[in-house]
Amino acid sequence: MANLTNKNIDFLSNQEVINILLSILNEIDMVANIDTHRSTTYLAVSAIEGLFTEILKLRQISTTKEPDNLLLREKFTVLQSTGEVISEDFQSLFAPLIDYRNYMHPSLEKSKSSITKSVAQRAIASLNSLIEQYENLRFIANQEWRLMCGIAQVPDIKSIHMPQNPDDLVSLLISEQKASYFKEISFHVIIPRDAVFNFIYNFQSINSFTGARIEGHEQNNNGRFRCVKWRTWPINAHYITYTPSAKQRHTVRIVLNPPENFALIVDGIELELEDNTPWGFHANKKIGFMTELGLVSILGMKIGWWPYGELIKRGTRDKSS
């Protein structure tokens, strides 16, 4: 059986919704493969309607009624009117399909165009287009992050699980906003033995960024590193104020105040680099998290931002970022 639907829906944080949508996507694959065009269309449009509801919630878009209580056309209209929340390509694919939402009532289908194979294919294409737009986004602590590599699952709006992919030992998640947007970030991190957690800053591309490393074992291979090309990031300055231990759960606080500098505080101790080495932080670049060699979990994330960040939070995106 051909796998026709995109199932990369880890951008959602409601596990019940994820399970329901995965069931629908699997069913779409089944009915589409045997050319049942009506069932394919009904299910695909229904899945899109469910995704609309979750996107309205994740994006914190204000609506006249609760997102669950809006009609499909109402959800579509709100999303259309809110900037770049849904792409123009998706809109052009999906708009002709709205009327088919109610075609399960035979009296409606008699008076309109029938559901053909091309309609069913358009419905699947629309569904895949919407998922493709969001599959690498993650919504955590009221902020948006982009998955550059690996796996990042969001069990709730304040947590991230970053396990290793069977085919890749590294996961990398980067902020959509520049570092200058953020004021303070705090969280707990669980680092299993032999796994590695990295706070990333100065992110410019997957081949150029800086990071602060904390390993899950008791060896002292912790410090600041710089990525000179993807998967090449040697330590270039060790910490003088951090003592490795068998402890696997840590409390982390990152303070960007003023925005040109930052402090990284682990278990109440501010990290300092050997020989008074500066962190070399640049506020106009991005921040994020990178994990290696195991399931690292980031829990209870809280984020504060500078007052001008309110404009971005309300929907005015920084086009220069």
Side-chain angles (χ1 to χ4, degrees):
M1 183 179 73
N3 192 5
L4 302 174
T5 56
N6 186 340
K7 298 178 179 62
N8 296 320
I9 56 174
D10 278 345
F11 62 89
L12 300 172
S13 58
N14 185 322
Q15 190 59 52
E16 183 179 3
V17 171
I18 291 173
N19 292 339
I20 292 170
L21 280 171
L22 286 175
S23 176
I24 293 172
L25 294 172
N26 287 324
E27 192 168 341
I28 291 170
D29 288 342
M30 181 177 67
V31 296
N33 273 283
I34 58 174
D35 288 333
T36 53
H37 310 319
R38 287 184 180 83
S39 296
T40 300
T41 304
Y42 298 155
L43 286 168
V45 174
S46 176
I48 289 169
E49 183 173 11
L51 286 169
F52 280 175
T53 300
E54 296 307 306
I55 290 168
L56 287 167
K57 295 175 182 177
L58 290 170
R59 295 277 196 179
Q60 303 176 69
I61 297 170
S62 297
T63 54
T64 55
K65 296 182 282 188
E66 289 297 316
D68 291 301
N69 297 328
L70 293 171
L71 299 175
L72 173 60
R73 189 178 294 277
E74 293 174 323
K75 296 174 187 177
F76 185 49
T77 299
V78 172
L79 292 170
Q80 277 183 305
S81 65
T82 313
E84 301 170 355
V85 173
I86 51 175
S87 70
E88 292 183 4
D89 286 344
F90 168 78
Q91 292 178 50
S92 63
L93 276 170
F94 179 70
L97 297 171
I98 293 180
D99 289 337
Y100 292 107
R101 177 67 178 88
N102 295 316
Y103 260 38
M104 59 186 68
H105 304 289
S107 59
L108 291 175
E109 185 170 351
K110 282 195 306 183
S111 62
K112 298 183 180 180
S113 301
S114 61
I115 298 178
T116 62
K117 184 173 184 177
S118 62
V119 171
Q121 290 174 333
R122 187 185 195 107
I124 292 175
S126 298
L127 175 59
N128 285 339
S129 174
L130 182 60
I131 294 174
E132 184 176 304
Q133 181 180 348
Y134 279 85
E135 63 183 348
N136 290 323
L137 287 177
R138 299 293 183 270
F139 299 85
I140 307 147
N142 296 323
Q143 303 300 323
E144 295 178 22
W145 309 78
R146 184 166 297 275
L147 184 64
M148 309 299 295
C149 177
I151 301 173
Q153 300 162 332
V154 187
D156 61 64
I157 60 171
K158 293 184 178 181
S159 302
I160 320 164
H161 293 331
M162 298 178 72
Q164 65 185 57
N165 189 312
D167 301 320
D168 198 336
L169 303 181
V170 179
S171 293
L172 176 62
L173 189 67
I174 296 297
S175 62
E176 285 284 85
Q177 300 300 332
K178 294 178 181 178
S180 58
Y181 169 85
F182 299 93
K183 186 175 184 180
E184 183 170 323
I185 304 171
S186 63
F187 52 88
H188 302 286
V189 60
I190 299 175
I191 312 170
R193 187 172 299 279
D194 297 328
V196 179
F197 167 77
N198 307 286
F199 173 69
I200 300 302
Y201 63 101
N202 293 356
F203 182 88
Q204 188 167 344
S205 74
I206 203 165
N207 294 307
S208 178
F209 56 85
T210 309
R213 177 180 299 166
I214 301 176
E215 300 204 354
H217 50 62
E218 298 179 57
Q219 299 176 17
N220 189 13
N221 193 29
N222 302 288
R224 187 196 66 180
F225 65 85
R226 182 181 177 190
C227 173
V228 293
K229 68 176 181 178
W230 181 237
R231 302 186 192 282
T232 303
W233 41 70
I235 294 286
N236 57 17
H238 288 92
Y239 307 133
I240 59 172
T241 53
Y242 176 76
T243 303
S245 69
K247 182 178 179 181
Q248 294 188 354
R249 184 183 179 105
H250 302 272
T251 300
V252 179
R253 182 169 168 244
I254 301 151
V255 181
L256 293 86
N257 185 5
E260 290 76 18
N261 299 290
F262 79 97
L264 180 56
I265 302 157
V266 178
D267 299 329
I269 299 172
E270 182 173 348
L271 302 187
E272 295 180 14
L273 300 173
E274 59 191 356
D275 301 324
N276 293 318
T277 304
W279 288 100
F281 171 73
H282 296 286
N284 64 336
K285 297 181 181 179
K286 296 185 177 182
I287 61 173
F289 311 101
M290 185 172 76
T291 63
E292 305 172 63
L293 302 172
L295 169 58
V296 175
S297 296
I298 299 167
L299 310 173
M301 185 181 295
K302 297 179 181 178
I303 295 177
W305 52 86
W306 293 99
Y308 63 78
E310 283 288 347
L311 295 175
I312 300 173
K313 186 172 183 289
R314 292 172 184 169
T316 305
R317 302 286 166 193
D318 181 357
K319 303 297 184 182
S320 66
S321 66

